Amino acid sequence: MYLQITDTGIEMLNKAQEDGRQLRKELFENLTEEERESLLSVYEKLNKVMSED
């Protein structure tokens, strides 16, 4: 069985992705540069731990 996303589904996916990008932009704009660097450091550590499994 093969499934195919419709054009409407693709449009919905694209909108959801853009909404997510906008939300992250708004959230990160409220952080200082130091806070963003700290957050990035935490994400890097989490990615390292997850990739070790």
Side-chain angles (χ1 to χ4, degrees), residues 13-30:
L13 179 60
N14 289 338
K15 182 175 180 341
Q17 289 175 334
E18 181 55 36
D19 289 349
R21 277 190 289 273
Q22 184 63 35
L23 175 61
R24 286 186 297 278
K25 179 182 176 193
E26 290 171 9
L27 291 173
F28 284 103
E29 284 177 344
N30 291 302

